[in-house]
Amino acid sequence: MSRTNTAHGRSRSAVDSGVNRWVVLVVLCVSLLLVALDATILHVAVPSLTEDLRPSSTALLWIVDAYPLVCASLLILFGTLGDRVGRRRVLLLGYALFGTASAVAALATAPAVLIGARALLGVGGAMIMPATLSILRTVFPDRRERATAIGVWTATAAIGAATGPVLGGFLVENYWWGSVFLINIPLMALILPLGRRLLPESRGAADGPWDVLGALMAAAGVLGCVLGVKRAGAGDPLLALPTAGPLLLGAALLVLFVRRQKRRPHPLIDLRLFSRAAFTTSVGCIVIGMLALVGLELIAVQYLQLVLGLSPLETGLRLLPLTFAAMAAGATGSYTLRRIGPRRMVGWGFVLTAAAVLLLTFMGQHDRPLLLTVGFVLLGFGLQTTLFSAYESMLSEAPQRSAGGAAAIGETSYQLGAGMGIALLGSVMNAAYAPALASVPGVPAEASRGAANSLGEAYKVADQLGGTAGEALHQAARHSFVQGLHVTLFVSAGLLLVGALMARRLPRIMECPVDPEEAFDAREAQGAHPAQEGADRAAAGRPGPASAGPSERSGASGMPAASERTARPERARASGVPAAPERGASSGVPVASGRAGHAEPAGSPEGGEPRVPATREAIEPAGSGRPAH
C-alpha cells in the first residue's frame, strides 16, 4: 500500500501546484500539434525535395519513413522512462531535441543528413507524445474533466495530421521544401520556456531499477514489426526476407519482452492492465480506427490528385471538412460519453464511420464535391468519436503511477495501426488495380507491368507511349484505380464493423471512481488470493460465492466489504477527501441499476456490482472486474 500512497501523493502535488490545469492542457496540445504536423507535412514536399537533393529511391524511402519508424519504436522506452525520472523532464528534453533536429533538417544539403535529422525528430517525438498524455492523466484526476481534456487532445492530433498537407502545400509553393521543418523552430522556442514554467512534474512508481534491457527489447521489437509492415505496404512480397525477417524478429523480441516483464518484480509495463477487458478492447479499437483512417487518407490523397487532378494545396483544402468534423467530435466528446457511455460511443462511432466509407464508394472519375464533403464530415466525426472514447477508456483504466506506460501503449498501438493500414489497404488496392492493366490493347507487356505499379507510374508510361495506345493506357489506369478504390472502401467498412463488435466488451456507462489508485490495488490483491478468501469464508461459517449475500458479493467484485466501508470514513477524514455516501449495499437495500423502472440489489449477479453513472459519485473504478456484456 505504500507504493499506492506515494503515487497518489505525487498526483496531488502535480494538480495542486498552483498552475491552472487548462493552461497546462493548452501547452500539451501545442506540443502534440507540432508532432502530428511533422508526421504528414513532408508528404507534399517530396517532389521538390527530390529535385533538389537527388536522393536514390531507397534514400527517399528512408527520408519519409525514418520519423515514424523511430518514433513508434521508442514510445515505450521514453514513456516508461518518464514514469521513473519525471515526465516533465523527458518532455522538455524532447522539445529541445525536436527544435534542434528541425533546424538540421531544414538546412540539410545531402540525403544522409536529412535522414539523420528525421530520425532525431522521431526521437524527440517519442519523448513528447506519451509525456503529454501521461501529464494530462495526472493533471486531470477527475474523470469527467479528464474526458473533456482528452477530447481536446485527440482533436488537436486530428487537426495536426489533417492540416499538415495544407500547410506543407502552402510553404512549398511559396518558399522551399526546408520551410516545412523551419516552421517548428519558433514554435519550439516559445513552448520550451512556457513548458518549463507551467508544466508540473510528476512521476509514477519508482520501485526497483529501470529495466534498460527490457526497454531496448521493446524498442527493437516494435521497430522490426513496423518496418516489416511498412515494407509490405510498399508492395514487397510478404515472404521475402526484407519483409518477413524484420516482422519475425520483431515479433520474437516482443514475445521475449512480455515474458521478461512477467518474471520481473518491478516491470516496465504493468501487464495486469491487459487482463482487463476495457483496456485491451480500447487498445484494439485504436488500432482498427487508425488502420482505417491512415489507409483511407493515403488513397484519398492519390484519388484527389491523380484522378481529379487537384494541386497539393487544393487537396489539403478538400480534406479540411474531415478536420472540422474531428474538432467538433472532440469538443462534444465528453458530453456524449457521459450521456451514452463508452460502449455505445465507440460502437456507434465505428458504425457511422463505416456508413461514411460506404457513401464514398459512389465516387467516380469525375469530381463530386458535395458527396466528398458529406463523406469526409461523417468520416471525421465518426472516427474521432471512436478514437476519443477509446483513448479515454484506456487511460482511465490505468492507475496514475502507470500513466506513462499506458500512454506509450496507446501511442504505439496508434502507430502500429497507421502502419498496418497502409500495408493492408495498400495491398488490397494494388491487388484490385493491377490485373486490369495486363491486357490493354496496343500496350506492350513491359509497359503494362510498369503501369501496374501505381497510377502515377501508369501516367508516365502513357505519356511515353503517346498516341492511341498511351490514351488507352491512361483511361484504363484511371478506371482501374477507381474500381480498386471501391474494393478498398468495402474492405475498410468491414474492418470498421468488426471494431463495432469489439466495442461490446467496453463498459456500458462512464464511471467516476473516488479513489482509483486504492481501488486498483484492492482489486488486484483480491484477484491474487481467491483461494485464501474461500478458506476464510469456510472458517467463519459464511456462505461461499454461489450463495453469498449482497455485501459478500460486493466485496468479491471489487466493492469494499462492510469492514472496509466502516474504515473508509476514517481514512477519508485523515486525507481530507470526502467519503463516498453509503449506498445500502450491506443492508440489502436496492440500488438503481441505471435502467428505467428497474432496481437491483447491490452486487446482483447480472452486473457483478452496482453501476454508477458519471453524474453520481461512484465507489469503484471503471471496469472493475465485471463480466463483459
Side-chain angles (χ1 to χ4, degrees):
M1 188 61 68
S2 61
R3 183 179 61 180
T4 302
N5 295 337
T6 301
H8 211 67
R10 286 166 183 154
S11 175
R12 294 186 187 283
S13 66
V15 177
D16 300 333
S17 59
V19 179
N20 188 295
R21 58 191 177 281
W22 300 107
V23 176
V24 172
L25 177 62
V26 171
V27 176
L28 296 178
C29 286
V30 174
S31 311
L32 180 66
L33 181 65
L34 290 173
V35 177
L37 272 173
D38 222 68
T40 58
I41 198 171
L42 182 64
H43 293 169
V44 295
V46 167
S48 176
L49 181 155
T50 303
E51 184 178 352
D52 188 14
L53 297 184
R54 302 290 182 183
S56 64
S57 57
T58 302
L60 182 61
L61 183 66
W62 278 105
I63 288 173
V64 174
D65 287 344
Y67 175 80
L69 281 173
V70 173
C71 185
S73 62
L74 295 178
L75 286 169
I76 293 177
L77 189 152
F78 286 119
T80 56
L81 180 63
D83 285 342
R84 296 303 182 98
V85 304
R87 294 149 186 161
R88 172 178 170 270
R89 180 178 299 176
V90 172
L91 182 61
L92 294 179
L93 288 174
Y95 287 161
L97 184 58
F98 204 86
T100 303
S102 297
V104 175
L107 302 176
T109 56
V113 176
L114 184 55
I115 292 171
R118 289 278 288 171
L120 286 178
L121 281 170
V123 176
M127 300 173 80
I128 293 172
M129 290 175 72
T132 60
L133 196 54
S134 54
I135 291 176
L136 185 150
R137 169 68 175 83
T138 303
V139 173
F140 292 90
D142 180 78
R143 185 171 183 180
R144 284 159 291 201
E145 287 190 342
R146 185 165 66 245
T148 302
I150 293 177
V152 176
W153 186 87
T154 54
T156 302
I159 292 169
T163 56
V166 181
L167 181 60
F170 171 79
L171 291 173
V172 171
E173 288 182 8
N174 291 276
Y175 301 100
W176 93 110
W177 62 265
S179 60
V180 302
F181 299 109
L182 209 58
I183 193 174
N184 294 334
I185 298 176
L187 293 176
M188 281 298 173
L190 173 66
I191 202 165
L192 182 58
L194 281 178
R196 185 177 180 182
R197 175 173 182 149
L198 298 178
L199 294 179
E201 183 60 281
S202 65
R203 293 179 176 85
D207 299 337
W210 186 55
D211 185 8
V212 179
L213 179 59
L216 294 177
M217 288 173 63
V222 174
L223 177 63
C225 289
V226 175
L227 180 60
V229 166
K230 281 186 170 290
R231 286 189 176 276
D236 291 354
L238 185 61
L239 298 180
L241 184 61
T243 304
L247 271 175
L248 294 176
L249 181 60
L253 285 173
L254 289 179
V255 169
L256 292 175
F257 169 75
V258 170
R259 294 181 63 182
R260 178 180 176 85
Q261 298 308 298
K262 287 182 176 179
R263 292 195 305 264
R264 291 183 65 84
H266 306 292
L268 278 177
I269 293 178
D270 189 355
L271 297 179
R272 295 176 299 173
L273 292 172
F274 287 99
S275 66
R276 308 177 68 185
F279 185 88
T280 306
T281 302
S282 298
V283 171
C285 289
I286 292 171
V287 171
I288 291 182
M290 287 309 302
L291 190 152
L293 175 63
V294 174
L296 288 176
E297 277 193 344
L298 179 64
I299 296 171
V301 167
Q302 292 178 346
Y303 171 79
L304 294 172
Q305 291 189 5
L306 299 178
V307 176
L308 301 185
L310 302 180
S311 69
L313 183 57
E314 291 172 331
T315 299
L317 292 175
R318 284 293 185 92
L319 293 173
L320 281 181
L322 188 151
T323 305
F324 292 143
M327 292 170 60
T332 60
S334 177
Y335 173 80
T336 307
L337 185 62
R338 291 196 299 268
R339 295 286 294 178
I340 67 176
R343 183 188 303 179
R344 289 194 185 98
M345 190 167 179
V346 174
W348 285 110
F350 271 129
V351 170
L352 180 60
T353 309
V357 168
L358 293 176
L359 179 64
L360 292 175
T361 59
F362 291 98
M363 294 186 304
Q365 299 185 39
H366 302 287
D367 194 4
R368 303 179 69 178
L370 181 60
L371 173 67
L372 285 174
T373 300
V374 173
F376 285 157
V377 166
L378 294 178
L379 179 66
F381 191 89
L383 205 52
Q384 186 63 25
T385 296
T386 298
L387 289 174
F388 157 75
S389 187
Y391 264 109
E392 198 282 333
S393 297
M394 179 203 72
L395 204 59
S396 295
E397 288 293 312
Q400 189 272 334
R401 63 173 178 267
S402 302
I409 292 171
E411 292 301 327
T412 303
S413 63
Y414 183 100
Q415 297 289 341
L416 284 175
M420 290 169 60
I422 295 174
L424 178 60
L425 297 186
S427 299
V428 171
M429 181 71 193
N430 291 335
Y433 163 77
L437 302 182
S439 58
V440 179
V443 178
E446 184 177 351
S448 295
R449 285 193 295 271
N453 291 329
S454 67
L455 184 59
E457 187 70 21
Y459 284 172
K460 292 180 181 179
V461 174
D463 291 340
Q464 293 173 358
L465 288 176
T468 306
E471 181 64 24
L473 179 60
H474 188 282
Q475 291 298 326
R478 200 163 179 255
H479 177 75
S480 180
F481 183 89
V482 173
Q483 293 297 111
L485 174 61
H486 291 168
V487 173
T488 305
L489 291 173
F490 280 116
V491 172
S492 180
L495 292 171
L496 292 166
L497 293 177
V498 170
L501 293 176
M502 286 177 54
R504 292 179 60 83
R505 302 186 68 210
L506 290 172
R508 188 189 300 267
I509 60 174
M510 176 186 175
E511 297 167 344
C512 300
V514 174
D515 193 348
E517 298 290 329
E518 184 174 334
F520 183 87
D521 280 348
R523 279 200 316 276
E524 296 302 330
Q526 288 172 347
H529 304 288
Q532 183 61 40
E533 289 180 2
D536 293 342
R537 287 195 187 95
R542 289 181 293 170
S547 59
S551 61
E552 283 84 354
R553 283 195 299 269
S554 297
S557 65
M559 293 283 290
S563 60
E564 175 68 13
R565 285 193 300 272
T566 303
R568 171 172 284 165
E570 306 301 327
R571 288 199 310 269
R573 283 192 292 270
S575 62
V577 180
E582 295 297 322
R583 301 177 55 83
S586 60
S587 61
V589 178
V591 180
S593 66
R595 295 190 293 275
H598 180 73
E600 296 175 342
S604 63
E606 178 182 350
E609 75 269 358
R611 290 183 169 83
V612 184
T615 54
R616 298 163 61 189
E617 191 173 33
I619 299 178
E620 84 284 0
S624 55
R626 60 178 173 276
H629 292 269

